[in-house]
Amino acid sequence: MGKVWVVAEQREGKLKKVTFEMVTLARQIGGEVEGVVIGKDVKGLASELGEYGVGKVYVADHPDLEQYTTAKYTRVLAELINKEKPEVVLIANSAQGRDFAPRTAQRVGAGQVSDITGYEEGVFVRPIYAGKAYTKVGATSHPLIVTVRPNVFSAAEKTGGQAAIEEVAVSFMPEDLKAIVKEVVKQVSGRPELTEADIIVSGGRGMKGPENFKLLEDLADVLGAAVGASRAAVDAGWREHRYQVGQTGKTVSPSLYIAVGISGAIQHLAGMGSSKVIVAINKDPEANIFKVADYGIVGDLFEIVPLLTEEFKKLLKS
Protein backbone atom coordinates (compact mmCIF):
# COMPACT_ATOMS: atom_id res chain seq x y z
CA MET A 1 0.00 0.00 0.00
CA GLY A 2 1.29 3.45 -0.95
CA LYS A 3 0.00 6.75 0.41
CA VAL A 4 -3.22 6.84 2.43
CA TRP A 5 -4.58 10.34 2.80
CA VAL A 6 -6.78 11.78 5.52
CA VAL A 7 -8.59 14.91 4.34
CA ALA A 8 -9.05 16.84 7.58
CA GLU A 9 -12.47 18.26 8.35
CA GLN A 10 -12.26 21.48 10.30
CA ARG A 11 -14.53 24.26 11.45
CA GLU A 12 -13.27 27.68 12.49
CA GLY A 13 -9.71 26.47 12.94
CA LYS A 14 -10.55 23.34 14.94
CA LEU A 15 -10.27 19.76 13.70
CA LYS A 16 -13.47 17.72 13.92
CA LYS A 17 -13.35 14.43 15.82
CA VAL A 18 -13.97 12.44 12.65
CA THR A 19 -10.54 13.55 11.39
CA PHE A 20 -8.82 11.61 14.17
CA GLU A 21 -11.11 8.64 13.54
CA MET A 22 -9.95 8.61 9.93
CA VAL A 23 -6.34 8.60 11.13
CA THR A 24 -7.14 5.36 13.00
CA LEU A 25 -8.58 3.85 9.83
CA ALA A 26 -5.59 5.02 7.77
CA ARG A 27 -3.27 3.16 10.14
CA GLN A 28 -5.35 -0.01 9.73
CA ILE A 29 -5.12 0.24 5.96
CA GLY A 30 -1.35 0.61 6.16
CA GLY A 31 1.09 2.48 3.97
CA GLU A 32 2.22 6.07 4.43
CA VAL A 33 -0.38 8.02 6.42
CA GLU A 34 -0.55 11.60 5.15
CA GLY A 35 -2.96 14.46 5.73
CA VAL A 36 -4.54 17.26 3.74
CA VAL A 37 -5.73 20.48 5.38
CA ILE A 38 -7.74 23.01 3.38
CA GLY A 39 -8.82 26.43 4.63
CA LYS A 40 -7.54 29.80 5.80
CA ASP A 41 -4.90 30.13 8.54
CA VAL A 42 -4.80 26.36 9.02
CA LYS A 43 -1.07 25.64 9.19
CA GLY A 44 -1.36 25.05 12.93
CA LEU A 45 -3.79 22.21 12.26
CA ALA A 46 -1.14 20.46 10.19
CA SER A 47 1.18 20.41 13.19
CA GLU A 48 -1.65 19.00 15.31
CA LEU A 49 -2.15 16.13 12.86
CA GLY A 50 1.54 15.33 13.19
CA GLU A 51 1.07 14.80 16.91
CA TYR A 52 -1.38 12.01 16.06
CA GLY A 53 1.04 10.09 13.87
CA VAL A 54 0.47 11.63 10.44
CA GLY A 55 3.84 11.66 8.70
CA LYS A 56 3.27 14.45 6.17
CA VAL A 57 0.59 17.10 5.78
CA TYR A 58 -0.25 19.08 2.65
CA VAL A 59 -1.58 22.53 3.55
CA ALA A 60 -3.76 24.51 1.13
CA ASP A 61 -4.03 27.87 2.89
CA HIS A 62 -5.74 30.71 1.02
CA PRO A 63 -8.12 33.58 1.94
CA ASP A 64 -10.67 32.29 -0.60
CA LEU A 65 -10.81 28.98 1.29
CA GLU A 66 -12.04 30.52 4.54
CA GLN A 67 -15.59 29.38 3.76
CA TYR A 68 -16.32 26.03 2.16
CA THR A 69 -17.64 25.87 -1.40
CA THR A 70 -17.85 22.73 -3.50
CA ALA A 71 -15.97 24.04 -6.52
CA LYS A 72 -12.98 25.44 -4.65
CA TYR A 73 -12.44 22.41 -2.41
CA THR A 74 -12.82 20.09 -5.39
CA ARG A 75 -10.29 22.09 -7.42
CA VAL A 76 -7.68 22.05 -4.65
CA LEU A 77 -8.03 18.38 -3.74
CA ALA A 78 -8.28 17.08 -7.32
CA GLU A 79 -5.12 18.90 -8.42
CA LEU A 80 -3.27 17.62 -5.37
CA ILE A 81 -4.39 14.02 -5.99
CA ASN A 82 -3.31 14.20 -9.64
CA LYS A 83 0.09 15.49 -8.59
CA GLU A 84 0.89 13.28 -5.58
CA LYS A 85 -1.04 10.12 -6.59
CA PRO A 86 -2.23 8.66 -3.26
CA GLU A 87 -3.80 5.21 -3.35
CA VAL A 88 -6.63 5.87 -0.88
CA VAL A 89 -8.20 9.21 0.08
CA LEU A 90 -10.34 9.24 3.24
CA ILE A 91 -13.01 11.96 3.54
CA ALA A 92 -15.63 12.32 6.29
CA ASN A 93 -19.13 11.21 5.34
CA SER A 94 -20.45 14.54 6.62
CA ALA A 95 -22.65 16.99 4.74
CA GLN A 96 -19.49 18.65 3.43
CA GLY A 97 -17.71 15.42 2.58
CA ARG A 98 -20.72 13.95 0.78
CA ASP A 99 -20.84 17.13 -1.27
CA PHE A 100 -17.32 17.32 -2.67
CA ALA A 101 -16.09 13.69 -2.47
CA PRO A 102 -18.03 12.41 -5.52
CA ARG A 103 -17.17 15.49 -7.53
CA THR A 104 -13.49 15.00 -6.70
CA ALA A 105 -13.71 11.31 -7.63
CA GLN A 106 -15.20 12.21 -11.01
CA ARG A 107 -12.56 14.90 -11.60
CA VAL A 108 -9.63 12.51 -11.03
CA GLY A 109 -11.26 9.40 -12.52
CA ALA A 110 -11.32 7.57 -9.19
CA GLY A 111 -13.68 4.97 -7.80
CA GLN A 112 -15.61 5.80 -4.66
CA VAL A 113 -16.86 3.80 -1.68
CA SER A 114 -19.37 5.77 0.40
CA ASP A 115 -20.35 5.74 4.07
CA ILE A 116 -18.07 2.95 5.21
CA THR A 117 -18.44 1.53 8.72
CA GLY A 118 -15.66 -1.05 8.78
CA TYR A 119 -12.44 -2.31 7.22
CA GLU A 120 -11.40 -5.97 7.00
CA GLU A 121 -8.29 -7.35 5.31
CA GLY A 122 -8.14 -4.96 2.40
CA VAL A 123 -11.88 -4.43 1.87
CA PHE A 124 -14.26 -1.75 3.09
CA VAL A 125 -17.57 -2.55 4.77
CA ARG A 126 -20.64 -0.39 4.14
CA PRO A 127 -24.36 -0.71 4.91
CA ILE A 128 -26.89 -1.23 2.09
CA TYR A 129 -30.68 -1.50 1.86
CA ALA A 130 -31.18 1.10 4.60
CA GLY A 131 -28.85 -0.78 6.95
CA LYS A 132 -30.54 -4.17 6.57
CA ALA A 133 -27.37 -5.71 5.11
CA TYR A 134 -23.68 -4.98 4.65
CA THR A 135 -21.46 -5.33 1.63
CA LYS A 136 -17.68 -5.61 1.31
CA VAL A 137 -16.01 -3.53 -1.38
CA GLY A 138 -12.43 -3.77 -2.59
CA ALA A 139 -10.49 -1.63 -5.04
CA THR A 140 -9.38 -2.82 -8.47
CA SER A 141 -7.65 0.48 -9.30
CA HIS A 142 -6.38 3.59 -7.58
CA PRO A 143 -6.85 6.27 -6.43
CA LEU A 144 -9.89 5.29 -4.39
CA ILE A 145 -12.06 7.89 -2.64
CA VAL A 146 -13.61 6.62 0.60
CA THR A 147 -16.11 8.49 2.76
CA VAL A 148 -16.10 7.43 6.42
CA ARG A 149 -19.12 7.48 8.72
CA PRO A 150 -18.37 9.54 11.86
CA ASN A 151 -18.35 7.91 15.30
CA VAL A 152 -17.62 4.40 13.99
CA PHE A 153 -13.85 4.17 14.39
CA SER A 154 -12.13 5.09 17.64
CA ALA A 155 -10.24 8.37 17.53
CA ALA A 156 -6.46 8.12 17.27
CA GLU A 157 -4.39 8.95 20.31
CA LYS A 158 -1.38 11.25 20.30
CA THR A 159 1.93 9.65 19.41
CA GLY A 160 4.05 12.72 20.00
CA GLY A 161 5.17 12.76 16.37
CA GLN A 162 5.93 15.67 14.10
CA ALA A 163 4.68 15.97 10.54
CA ALA A 164 6.58 17.27 7.56
CA ILE A 165 4.51 20.17 6.24
CA GLU A 166 4.26 21.00 2.55
CA GLU A 167 2.46 24.18 1.56
CA VAL A 168 0.39 23.84 -1.60
CA ALA A 169 0.11 26.59 -4.18
CA VAL A 170 -3.57 27.47 -4.63
CA SER A 171 -5.16 28.94 -7.76
CA PHE A 172 -8.71 28.98 -9.04
CA MET A 173 -10.42 29.07 -12.41
CA PRO A 174 -13.21 31.61 -13.04
CA GLU A 175 -15.83 28.86 -12.80
CA ASP A 176 -14.63 28.02 -9.29
CA LEU A 177 -15.65 31.48 -8.08
CA LYS A 178 -19.23 31.53 -9.33
CA ALA A 179 -20.51 30.73 -5.84
CA ILE A 180 -19.29 32.94 -3.03
CA VAL A 181 -20.33 32.59 0.62
CA LYS A 182 -21.25 36.08 1.79
CA GLU A 183 -22.35 35.24 5.32
CA VAL A 184 -22.59 32.28 7.69
CA VAL A 185 -25.40 32.51 10.22
CA LYS A 186 -24.44 30.67 13.37
CA GLN A 187 -26.81 29.01 15.78
CA VAL A 188 -25.03 28.54 19.08
CA SER A 189 -25.82 25.49 21.19
CA GLY A 190 -24.09 24.07 24.21
CA ARG A 191 -24.92 20.54 23.07
CA PRO A 192 -22.71 18.34 20.88
CA GLU A 193 -23.10 18.33 17.11
CA LEU A 194 -25.50 15.56 16.13
CA THR A 195 -23.22 13.46 13.91
CA GLU A 196 -20.34 13.55 16.42
CA ALA A 197 -22.33 13.11 19.64
CA ASP A 198 -21.57 10.10 21.82
CA ILE A 199 -25.12 10.13 23.21
CA ILE A 200 -28.27 11.19 21.36
CA VAL A 201 -31.81 11.61 22.67
CA SER A 202 -34.33 11.69 19.81
CA GLY A 203 -38.05 12.36 19.74
CA GLY A 204 -40.76 11.38 17.30
CA ARG A 205 -44.46 11.77 16.68
CA GLY A 206 -45.16 10.50 20.19
CA MET A 207 -43.87 13.81 21.61
CA LYS A 208 -47.26 15.29 20.53
CA GLY A 209 -45.94 18.81 20.06
CA PRO A 210 -42.83 21.03 19.90
CA GLU A 211 -43.20 22.23 23.49
CA ASN A 212 -42.68 18.69 24.79
CA PHE A 213 -39.16 18.45 23.36
CA LYS A 214 -38.16 20.37 26.50
CA LEU A 215 -38.37 16.97 28.27
CA LEU A 216 -35.73 15.58 25.90
CA GLU A 217 -33.56 18.69 26.17
CA ASP A 218 -33.53 18.37 29.97
CA LEU A 219 -32.48 14.72 29.72
CA ALA A 220 -29.87 15.53 27.06
CA ASP A 221 -28.35 18.29 29.20
CA VAL A 222 -27.94 15.89 32.13
CA LEU A 223 -26.25 13.30 29.89
CA GLY A 224 -24.19 15.74 27.80
CA ALA A 225 -26.12 14.52 24.78
CA ALA A 226 -27.36 15.89 21.48
CA VAL A 227 -31.07 16.12 20.66
CA GLY A 228 -32.41 14.58 17.46
CA ALA A 229 -35.80 14.07 15.84
CA SER A 230 -37.58 11.72 13.49
CA ARG A 231 -38.82 12.80 10.09
CA ALA A 232 -42.39 12.85 11.39
CA ALA A 233 -41.45 15.39 14.06
CA VAL A 234 -39.57 17.53 11.54
CA ASP A 235 -42.35 17.36 8.94
CA ALA A 236 -44.80 18.47 11.62
CA GLY A 237 -42.65 21.56 12.18
CA TRP A 238 -41.72 20.62 15.74
CA ARG A 239 -37.96 20.65 15.05
CA GLU A 240 -35.76 22.08 12.31
CA HIS A 241 -34.41 19.78 9.59
CA ARG A 242 -30.88 20.00 11.02
CA TYR A 243 -32.09 17.81 13.90
CA GLN A 244 -33.49 15.06 11.66
CA VAL A 245 -32.01 11.58 11.96
CA GLY A 246 -32.74 9.18 9.13
CA GLN A 247 -32.40 8.39 5.47
CA THR A 248 -33.31 11.94 4.42
CA GLY A 249 -31.63 13.51 7.45
CA LYS A 250 -28.38 12.77 9.25
CA THR A 251 -26.73 9.40 9.77
CA VAL A 252 -25.44 8.95 13.32
CA SER A 253 -23.47 6.28 15.18
CA PRO A 254 -23.43 7.21 18.87
CA SER A 255 -22.52 4.92 21.74
CA LEU A 256 -26.05 5.41 23.13
CA TYR A 257 -29.20 6.31 21.18
CA ILE A 258 -32.39 6.92 23.15
CA ALA A 259 -35.47 6.85 20.88
CA VAL A 260 -38.46 8.48 22.56
CA GLY A 261 -41.90 8.22 20.98
CA ILE A 262 -40.40 6.98 17.71
CA SER A 263 -42.19 4.13 15.93
CA GLY A 264 -39.09 2.90 14.07
CA ALA A 265 -39.87 3.42 10.39
CA ILE A 266 -37.22 1.99 8.08
CA GLN A 267 -36.16 5.50 7.03
CA HIS A 268 -35.31 6.36 10.63
CA LEU A 269 -33.55 3.07 11.30
CA ALA A 270 -31.32 3.73 8.29
CA GLY A 271 -29.95 6.80 10.05
CA MET A 272 -29.32 5.36 13.52
CA GLY A 273 -29.13 1.58 13.11
CA SER A 274 -25.35 1.52 13.62
CA SER A 275 -25.67 2.99 17.14
CA LYS A 276 -23.81 0.81 19.63
CA VAL A 277 -26.65 0.69 22.20
CA ILE A 278 -30.27 1.60 21.41
CA VAL A 279 -32.87 2.32 24.10
CA ALA A 280 -36.51 2.69 23.00
CA ILE A 281 -39.34 4.32 24.97
CA ASN A 282 -42.78 3.83 23.45
CA LYS A 283 -46.28 3.09 24.73
CA ASP A 284 -46.92 0.68 21.85
CA PRO A 285 -45.34 -2.72 22.64
CA GLU A 286 -45.60 -3.64 18.95
CA ALA A 287 -43.63 -0.61 17.73
CA ASN A 288 -40.99 -1.51 15.16
CA ILE A 289 -38.29 0.33 17.14
CA PHE A 290 -38.29 -2.50 19.71
CA LYS A 291 -37.04 -4.92 17.05
CA VAL A 292 -33.69 -3.11 16.91
CA ALA A 293 -33.51 -1.84 20.49
CA ASP A 294 -31.09 -3.36 22.99
CA TYR A 295 -33.34 -2.14 25.83
CA GLY A 296 -36.98 -1.15 25.69
CA ILE A 297 -39.39 0.59 28.03
CA VAL A 298 -43.10 0.23 27.28
CA GLY A 299 -45.03 3.10 28.83
CA ASP A 300 -45.98 6.76 28.81
CA LEU A 301 -42.92 8.81 27.81
CA PHE A 302 -44.30 11.83 29.68
CA GLU A 303 -43.93 9.88 32.90
CA ILE A 304 -40.79 7.91 32.04
CA VAL A 305 -38.51 10.65 30.67
CA PRO A 306 -38.74 12.95 33.73
CA LEU A 307 -38.05 9.94 35.99
CA LEU A 308 -34.99 9.03 33.91
CA THR A 309 -33.76 12.61 34.05
CA GLU A 310 -33.98 12.70 37.84
CA GLU A 311 -32.33 9.29 38.26
CA PHE A 312 -29.47 10.23 35.94
CA LYS A 313 -28.97 13.44 37.90
CA LYS A 314 -28.58 11.43 41.12
CA LEU A 315 -26.36 8.80 39.51
CA LEU A 316 -24.03 11.23 37.77
CA LYS A 317 -23.80 13.48 40.82
CA SER A 318 -22.65 10.54 42.96
Side-chain angles (χ1 to χ4, degrees):
M1 180 63 68
K3 299 177 182 178
V4 179
W5 279 9
V6 173
V7 180
E9 177 138 344
Q10 56 92 15
R11 294 286 189 283
E12 299 179 343
K14 293 184 178 180
L15 292 171
K16 304 287 280 185
K17 188 176 74 166
V18 66
T19 298
F20 304 113
E21 294 167 1
M22 291 190 291
V23 171
T24 297
L25 174 58
R27 290 177 183 167
Q28 291 179 21
I29 296 170
E32 302 173 52
V33 179
E34 298 185 342
V36 178
V37 179
I38 303 172
K40 178 188 174 187
D41 299 328
V42 291
K43 191 173 181 179
L45 300 183
S47 300
E48 187 175 351
L49 277 177
E51 295 175 5
Y52 287 84
V54 178
K56 183 177 183 179
V57 181
Y58 300 91
V59 179
D61 195 315
H62 193 280
D64 285 339
L65 292 169
E66 182 175 9
Q67 302 294 345
Y68 168 80
T69 64
T70 312
K72 288 186 283 191
Y73 268 54
T74 299
R75 170 76 60 184
V76 170
L77 186 57
E79 290 183 353
L80 195 54
I81 290 172
N82 284 331
K83 179 184 176 184
E84 300 295 337
K85 304 192 181 327
E87 291 200 18
V88 178
V89 179
L90 304 179
I91 300 173
N93 195 62
S94 59
Q96 179 176 296
R98 290 195 301 271
D99 183 46
F100 78 93
R103 189 177 295 233
T104 302
Q106 186 277 331
R107 187 77 61 88
V108 302
Q112 181 175 333
V113 185
S114 300
D115 194 24
I116 70 132
T117 58
Y119 178 79
E120 300 173 2
E121 299 178 354
V123 296
F124 297 95
V125 181
R126 63 181 299 271
I128 56 174
Y129 303 126
K132 288 184 177 180
Y134 289 83
T135 185
K136 295 181 179 180
V137 184
T140 57
S141 63
H142 295 93
L144 180 68
I145 306 289
V146 178
T147 63
V148 182
R149 181 178 294 191
N151 258 0
V152 172
F153 297 91
S154 60
E157 296 183 357
K158 286 187 177 182
T159 63
Q162 187 172 353
I165 297 175
E166 180 173 325
E167 297 188 29
V168 178
V170 176
S171 62
F172 300 109
M173 301 295 286
E175 59 266 26
D176 299 328
L177 304 175
K178 288 181 179 178
I180 299 174
V181 178
K182 299 293 290 184
E183 182 184 11
V184 176
V185 179
K186 300 178 182 177
Q187 293 182 310
V188 179
S189 171
R191 300 188 187 96
E193 202 278 321
L194 198 58
T195 57
E196 294 201 338
D198 195 50
I199 303 174
I200 296 174
V201 181
S202 276
R205 195 190 303 274
M207 298 305 298
K208 296 185 178 179
E211 68 281 359
N212 294 323
F213 271 81
K214 178 68 166 58
L215 293 173
L216 305 189
E217 291 170 354
D218 291 343
L219 177 57
D221 290 341
V222 171
L223 296 174
V227 176
S230 70
R231 178 176 175 175
V234 171
D235 286 349
W238 300 346
R239 302 295 281 184
E240 297 175 23
H241 183 266
R242 64 193 177 100
Y243 293 103
Q244 184 176 325
V245 175
Q247 199 164 30
T248 54
K250 294 182 177 178
T251 300
V252 298
S253 299
S255 297
L256 173 62
Y257 188 88
I258 303 176
V260 183
I262 294 174
S263 63
I266 188 62
Q267 292 89 347
H268 189 76
L269 301 184
M272 46 66 73
S274 59
S275 303
K276 295 175 180 64
V277 176
I278 299 171
V279 175
I281 303 172
N282 202 297
K283 67 180 181 180
D284 179 9
E286 302 300 321
N288 195 52
I289 191 71
F290 288 122
K291 294 179 181 178
V292 299
D294 298 282
Y295 302 95
I297 303 174
V298 178
D300 185 348
L301 69 89
F302 297 102
E303 297 176 2
I304 294 168
V305 174
L307 288 173
L308 283 177
T309 302
E310 291 305 312
E311 289 302 314
F312 275 122
K313 280 182 182 177
K314 295 175 187 176
L315 181 65
L316 296 173
K317 189 177 291 184
S318 62

mmCIF file of all heavy atoms in Angstrom, residues 44-61:
data_model
loop_
_atom_site.group_PDB
_atom_site.id
_atom_site.type_symbol
_atom_site.label_atom_id
_atom_site.label_comp_id
_atom_site.label_asym_id
_atom_site.label_seq_id
_atom_site.Cartn_x
_atom_site.Cartn_y
_atom_site.Cartn_z
ATOM 1 N N GLY A 44 -1.456 25.623 11.589
ATOM 2 C CA GLY A 44 -1.357 25.053 12.933
ATOM 3 C C GLY A 44 -2.042 23.701 13.041
ATOM 4 O O GLY A 44 -1.627 22.840 13.820
ATOM 5 N N LEU A 45 -3.092 23.491 12.244
ATOM 6 C CA LEU A 45 -3.795 22.209 12.260
ATOM 7 C C LEU A 45 -2.922 21.098 11.695
ATOM 8 O O LEU A 45 -3.033 19.941 12.096
ATOM 9 C CB LEU A 45 -5.092 22.304 11.459
ATOM 10 C CG LEU A 45 -6.116 23.331 11.946
ATOM 11 C CD1 LEU A 45 -7.376 23.260 11.100
ATOM 12 C CD2 LEU A 45 -6.453 23.106 13.415
ATOM 13 N N ALA A 46 -2.053 21.449 10.757
ATOM 14 C CA ALA A 46 -1.142 20.458 10.188
ATOM 15 C C ALA A 46 -0.199 19.936 11.265
ATOM 16 O O ALA A 46 0.074 18.733 11.354
ATOM 17 C CB ALA A 46 -0.354 21.081 9.038
ATOM 18 N N SER A 47 0.303 20.826 12.095
ATOM 19 C CA SER A 47 1.176 20.410 13.191
ATOM 20 C C SER A 47 0.430 19.511 14.168
ATOM 21 O O SER A 47 0.982 18.541 14.697
ATOM 22 C CB SER A 47 1.718 21.649 13.924
ATOM 23 O OG SER A 47 2.451 22.475 13.043
ATOM 24 N N GLU A 48 -0.840 19.818 14.396
ATOM 25 C CA GLU A 48 -1.648 19.001 15.309
ATOM 26 C C GLU A 48 -1.824 17.590 14.766
ATOM 27 O O GLU A 48 -1.749 16.611 15.519
ATOM 28 C CB GLU A 48 -3.012 19.658 15.522
ATOM 29 C CG GLU A 48 -3.851 18.977 16.575
ATOM 30 C CD GLU A 48 -5.157 19.702 16.855
ATOM 31 O OE1 GLU A 48 -5.333 20.833 16.352
ATOM 32 O OE2 GLU A 48 -5.999 19.123 17.561
ATOM 33 N N LEU A 49 -2.028 17.455 13.467
ATOM 34 C CA LEU A 49 -2.147 16.129 12.864
ATOM 35 C C LEU A 49 -0.865 15.323 13.057
ATOM 36 O O LEU A 49 -0.906 14.112 13.274
ATOM 37 C CB LEU A 49 -2.466 16.248 11.377
ATOM 38 C CG LEU A 49 -3.930 16.460 10.992
ATOM 39 C CD1 LEU A 49 -4.049 16.628 9.490
ATOM 40 C CD2 LEU A 49 -4.796 15.301 11.456
ATOM 41 N N GLY A 50 0.262 16.003 12.976
ATOM 42 C CA GLY A 50 1.536 15.330 13.186
ATOM 43 C C GLY A 50 1.638 14.701 14.555
ATOM 44 O O GLY A 50 2.225 13.623 14.726
ATOM 45 N N GLU A 51 1.040 15.334 15.552
ATOM 46 C CA GLU A 51 1.069 14.802 16.911
ATOM 47 C C GLU A 51 0.297 13.489 17.032
ATOM 48 O O GLU A 51 0.464 12.739 17.987
ATOM 49 C CB GLU A 51 0.487 15.828 17.882
ATOM 50 C CG GLU A 51 1.321 17.107 17.990
ATOM 51 C CD GLU A 51 0.654 18.140 18.875
ATOM 52 O OE1 GLU A 51 -0.402 17.822 19.461
ATOM 53 O OE2 GLU A 51 1.186 19.260 18.969
ATOM 54 N N TYR A 52 -0.571 13.233 16.047
ATOM 55 C CA TYR A 52 -1.376 12.008 16.061
ATOM 56 C C TYR A 52 -0.830 10.952 15.105
ATOM 57 O O TYR A 52 -1.525 9.993 14.781
ATOM 58 C CB TYR A 52 -2.829 12.334 15.727
ATOM 59 C CG TYR A 52 -3.543 13.030 16.862
ATOM 60 C CD1 TYR A 52 -3.443 14.404 17.025
ATOM 61 C CD2 TYR A 52 -4.289 12.309 17.786
ATOM 62 C CE1 TYR A 52 -4.090 15.055 18.073
ATOM 63 C CE2 TYR A 52 -4.937 12.947 18.838
ATOM 64 C CZ TYR A 52 -4.828 14.317 18.975
ATOM 65 O OH TYR A 52 -5.455 14.950 20.020
ATOM 66 N N GLY A 53 0.400 11.137 14.654
ATOM 67 C CA GLY A 53 1.039 10.095 13.871
ATOM 68 C C GLY A 53 0.963 10.255 12.365
ATOM 69 O O GLY A 53 1.340 9.329 11.635
ATOM 70 N N VAL A 54 0.497 11.388 11.879
ATOM 71 C CA VAL A 54 0.471 11.631 10.439
ATOM 72 C C VAL A 54 1.856 12.105 10.008
ATOM 73 O O VAL A 54 2.382 13.091 10.549
ATOM 74 C CB VAL A 54 -0.602 12.687 10.079
ATOM 75 C CG1 VAL A 54 -0.588 12.978 8.583
ATOM 76 C CG2 VAL A 54 -1.979 12.194 10.513
ATOM 77 N N GLY A 55 2.448 11.403 9.044
ATOM 78 C CA GLY A 55 3.844 11.665 8.698
ATOM 79 C C GLY A 55 4.068 12.925 7.895
ATOM 80 O O GLY A 55 5.089 13.606 8.047
ATOM 81 N N LYS A 56 3.124 13.269 7.020
ATOM 82 C CA LYS A 56 3.271 14.448 6.170
ATOM 83 C C LYS A 56 1.908 15.068 5.980
ATOM 84 O O LYS A 56 0.900 14.366 5.856
ATOM 85 C CB LYS A 56 3.881 14.061 4.820
ATOM 86 C CG LYS A 56 4.138 15.229 3.872
ATOM 87 C CD LYS A 56 4.812 14.747 2.592
ATOM 88 C CE LYS A 56 5.153 15.907 1.670
ATOM 89 N NZ LYS A 56 5.841 15.442 0.433
ATOM 90 N N VAL A 57 1.866 16.404 5.953
ATOM 91 C CA VAL A 57 0.593 17.103 5.776
ATOM 92 C C VAL A 57 0.734 18.144 4.680
ATOM 93 O O VAL A 57 1.653 18.970 4.705
ATOM 94 C CB VAL A 57 0.133 17.782 7.086
ATOM 95 C CG1 VAL A 57 -1.217 18.472 6.869
ATOM 96 C CG2 VAL A 57 0.031 16.777 8.222
ATOM 97 N N TYR A 58 -0.187 18.080 3.708
ATOM 98 C CA TYR A 58 -0.253 19.082 2.649
ATOM 99 C C TYR A 58 -1.224 20.177 3.099
ATOM 100 O O TYR A 58 -2.361 19.886 3.478
ATOM 101 C CB TYR A 58 -0.748 18.457 1.347
ATOM 102 C CG TYR A 58 0.133 17.333 0.841
ATOM 103 C CD1 TYR A 58 -0.120 16.011 1.221
ATOM 104 C CD2 TYR A 58 1.216 17.588 0.001
ATOM 105 C CE1 TYR A 58 0.683 14.970 0.771
ATOM 106 C CE2 TYR A 58 2.027 16.556 -0.448
ATOM 107 C CZ TYR A 58 1.758 15.249 -0.065
ATOM 108 O OH TYR A 58 2.553 14.225 -0.509
ATOM 109 N N VAL A 59 -0.776 21.412 3.057
ATOM 110 C CA VAL A 59 -1.582 22.527 3.552
ATOM 111 C C VAL A 59 -1.945 23.451 2.393
ATOM 112 O O VAL A 59 -1.072 24.037 1.754
ATOM 113 C CB VAL A 59 -0.816 23.326 4.630
ATOM 114 C CG1 VAL A 59 -1.680 24.496 5.114
ATOM 115 C CG2 VAL A 59 -0.438 22.427 5.791
ATOM 116 N N ALA A 60 -3.254 23.559 2.122
ATOM 117 C CA ALA A 60 -3.765 24.508 1.132
ATOM 118 C C ALA A 60 -4.386 25.662 1.913
ATOM 119 O O ALA A 60 -5.520 25.570 2.389
ATOM 120 C CB ALA A 60 -4.790 23.845 0.226
ATOM 121 N N ASP A 61 -3.614 26.732 2.057
ATOM 122 C CA ASP A 61 -4.032 27.866 2.887
ATOM 123 C C ASP A 61 -4.217 29.083 1.984
ATOM 124 O O ASP A 61 -3.272 29.541 1.335
ATOM 125 C CB ASP A 61 -2.964 28.141 3.952
ATOM 126 C CG ASP A 61 -3.472 29.039 5.068
ATOM 127 O OD1 ASP A 61 -4.130 30.055 4.764
ATOM 128 O OD2 ASP A 61 -3.217 28.728 6.244
#
